[in-house]
C-alpha cells in the first residue's frame, strides 16, 4: 500500500487516445487494480483510456519496460499510441533520436520523425488462432462470427487481440450497441479490441474502434496496425496505408519481415501529482 506517496504523472495522448504516464523507475511505486481504476476514472481521478507505467528495463536491450493498463484495471500487452508517447519522453531525456521499449509483446524500436512525430516498429502481426488467442481453431482470415450489422471479421494480434470487421460505411454502424457484445464474444478467451473499417482506397482506410477494457476511443495504434494487416490479407489494400481514425491519421506499413511500422503524432497535455488517496 502506498498511502504516503504523492506521485508525479504526465498526461499525454496520441490522436486523442489519452494516457496517464507514471514513471516509477525511481519510486518503485506499486499499483493495485483498484488504484488503476481510481486514477483512470474521469470524474474521481485524472481520467484516461490507458494508464501507462514506465519501469526499469528488465533486459539489456531496452531503455525501459512499459506496462499498459485499461481503465477497467485489466492489463494489455500492447498500446501503439502510448508507445509513441513514452518513446518521445525517453528520447527527450537523452536527446537520442531512437529508443527501445520493452513490453509484454516484446521489444519495440522507436525513432523520432521530426517534431512530435514518432515511428514505432510494433513487432510482427500474429495471425495464428492460438496467438490471437481464440477459444478454438479457426481460419483467422474469416472468423465467421457477427453481431448486428457486423459479420465475419479478421483476427489479428499485435500483442493484443483484435477483431477487424469490414463495412461499407463506418458512419452507419452504432458501435456503442455492438462493441461490448463482440469484445466479450466466447471466441475470445481474453476478450478483444473491435475495429470497424471502411476501405477508402488501396492505401487509405477509415477505422473506428471499441477497445477492450475501455470502450470507444478516438484512436488505437495497435488497432490501426491490425486493420491494415487485415485489409492487406483480404486484398483490399496494399501493405501500406493511411488509417483515418476519429482523432486523426496514423500511417501504417506491414513490412516484408511481417513487422508492422506505425508512424504518428504525440502530444503532451499537462503534468500533475497524484494524491496518495488515489493509490490507497
Ligand atoms: N489504445 C491502444 C490499444 C489499447 C489496447 C487495449 N484496449 C487492450 O488491448 O486491452 C493502442 O493505441 O494500441
Amino acid at each position: 500500500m502506498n498511502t504516503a506517496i504523492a506521485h508525479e504523472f504526465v498526461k499525454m495522448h496520441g490522436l486523442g487516445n489519452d494516457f496517464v504516464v507514471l514513471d516509477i523507475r525511481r519510486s518503485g511505486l506499486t499499483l493495485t487494480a483498484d488504484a488503476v481504476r481510481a486514477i483512470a476514472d474521469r470524474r474521481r481521478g485524472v481520467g484516461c483510456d490507458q494508464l501507462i507505467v514506465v519501469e526499469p528495463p528488465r533486459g539489456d536491450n531496452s531503455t525501459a519496460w512499459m506496462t499498459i493498463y485499461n481503465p477497467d484495471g485489466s492489463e494489455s500487452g500492447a498500446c501503439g499510441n502510448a508507445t509513441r508517447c513514452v518513446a518521445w519522453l525517453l528520447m527527450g531525456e537523452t536527446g537520442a533520436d531512437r529508443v527501445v521499449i520493452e513490453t509484454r509483446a516484446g521489444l519495440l524500436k522507436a525513432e523520432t520523425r521530426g517534431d512530435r512525430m514518432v515511428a514505432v516498429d510494433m513487432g510482427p502481426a500474429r495471425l495464428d488462432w492460438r496467438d490471437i488467442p481464440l477459444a478454438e481453431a479457426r481460419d483467422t482470415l474469416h472468423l465467421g462470427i457477427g453481431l448486428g450489422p457486423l459479420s465475419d471479421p479478421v483476427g489479428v494480434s499485435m500483442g493484443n487481440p483484435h477483431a477487424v470487421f469490414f463495412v461499407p460505411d463506418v458512419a452507419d454502424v452504432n458501435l456503442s450497441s455492438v462493441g461490448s457484445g463482440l469484445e466479450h464474444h466466447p471466441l475470445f478467451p481474453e476478450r478483444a479490441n473491435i475495429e470497424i473499417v471502411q476501405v477508402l482506397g488501396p492505401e487509405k482506410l477509415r477505422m473506428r474502434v471499441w477497445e477492450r477494457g475501455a470502450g470507444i476511443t478516438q484512436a488505437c495504434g495497435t488497432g490501426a496496425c491490425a486493420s491494415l494487416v487485415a485489409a492487406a490479407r483480404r486484398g483490399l489494400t496494399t501493405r501500406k496505408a493511411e488509417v483515418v481514425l476519429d482523432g486523426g491519421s496514423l500511417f501504417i506499413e506491414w513490412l516484408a519481415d511481417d513487422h508492422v511500422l506505425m508512424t504518428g503524432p504525440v502530444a503532451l497535455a499537462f503534468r500533475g501529482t497524484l494524491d496518495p488517496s488515489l493509490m490507497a
Side-chain angles (χ1 to χ4, degrees):
M1 187 164 311
N2 303 295
T3 51
I5 305 168
H7 207 289
E8 292 187 353
F9 69 87
V10 184
K11 186 72 172 41
M12 302 186 78
H13 70 87
L15 299 177
N17 180 207
D18 68 327
F19 312 109
V20 169
V21 181
L22 284 179
D23 185 343
I24 67 164
R25 286 178 290 176
R26 281 169 288 283
S27 66
L29 178 74
T30 56
L31 286 173
T32 63
D34 283 343
V36 169
R37 287 186 284 265
I39 295 165
D41 187 303
R42 292 199 183 277
R43 283 186 168 54
R44 298 167 184 254
V46 180
C48 57
D49 290 334
Q50 277 86 36
L51 174 61
I52 307 299
V53 182
V54 180
E55 304 171 30
R58 297 184 187 177
D60 300 333
N61 304 317
S62 67
T63 300
W65 176 279
M66 183 174 83
T67 302
I68 303 135
Y69 297 101
N70 287 310
D72 68 354
S74 64
E75 186 179 337
S76 170
C79 181
N81 287 321
T83 304
R84 294 199 314 279
C85 290
V86 170
W88 186 81
L89 287 176
L90 294 175
M91 289 188 282
E93 285 176 353
T94 62
D97 59 9
R98 63 192 62 210
V99 70
V100 178
I101 298 169
E102 191 164 9
T103 68
R104 237 177 50 190
L107 289 171
L108 305 178
K109 297 175 183 172
E111 288 186 2
T112 181
R113 284 282 187 275
D115 186 36
R116 298 205 177 191
M117 287 293 282
V118 176
V120 183
D121 175 343
M122 291 298 296
R126 292 80 158 177
L127 306 177
D128 184 89
W129 69 272
R130 299 168 188 84
D131 297 326
I132 305 301
L134 301 181
E136 61 187 41
R138 290 274 175 107
D139 171 5
T140 56
L141 192 56
H142 291 281
L143 296 184
I145 62 170
L147 185 61
L150 302 180
S151 65
D152 194 23
V154 181
V156 182
S157 171
M158 290 305 301
N160 58 350
H162 295 268
V164 181
F165 292 85
F166 290 97
V167 297
D169 188 336
V170 297
D172 294 342
V173 178
N174 180 351
L175 195 50
S176 302
S177 66
V178 295
S180 182
L182 288 165
E183 171 192 352
H184 293 85
H185 191 286
L187 186 61
F188 306 123
E190 296 179 7
R191 298 184 285 164
N193 297 284
I194 307 300
E195 284 84 21
I196 57 172
V197 177
Q198 174 183 350
V199 180
L200 300 179
E203 296 198 357
K204 194 166 186 177
L205 298 172
R206 172 75 171 96
M207 185 268 264
R208 300 196 69 225
V209 60
W210 172 280
E211 284 199 25
R212 176 179 62 171
I216 292 175
T217 63
Q218 293 191 9
C220 179
T222 51
C225 295
S227 297
L228 181 271
V229 169
R233 290 191 72 201
R234 287 264 178 96
L236 302 172
T237 61
T238 67
R239 290 173 69 103
K240 185 176 183 178
E242 174 185 0
V243 181
V244 182
L245 301 130
D246 290 355
S249 289
L250 291 174
F251 300 88
I252 312 294
E253 183 172 2
W254 186 17
L255 303 171
D257 64 358
D258 268 351
H259 283 220
V260 184
L261 186 66
M262 168 197 64
T263 303
V266 303
L268 193 156
F270 58 90
R271 297 176 185 275
T273 304
L274 295 174
D275 185 85
S277 62
L278 277 178
M279 295 172 283

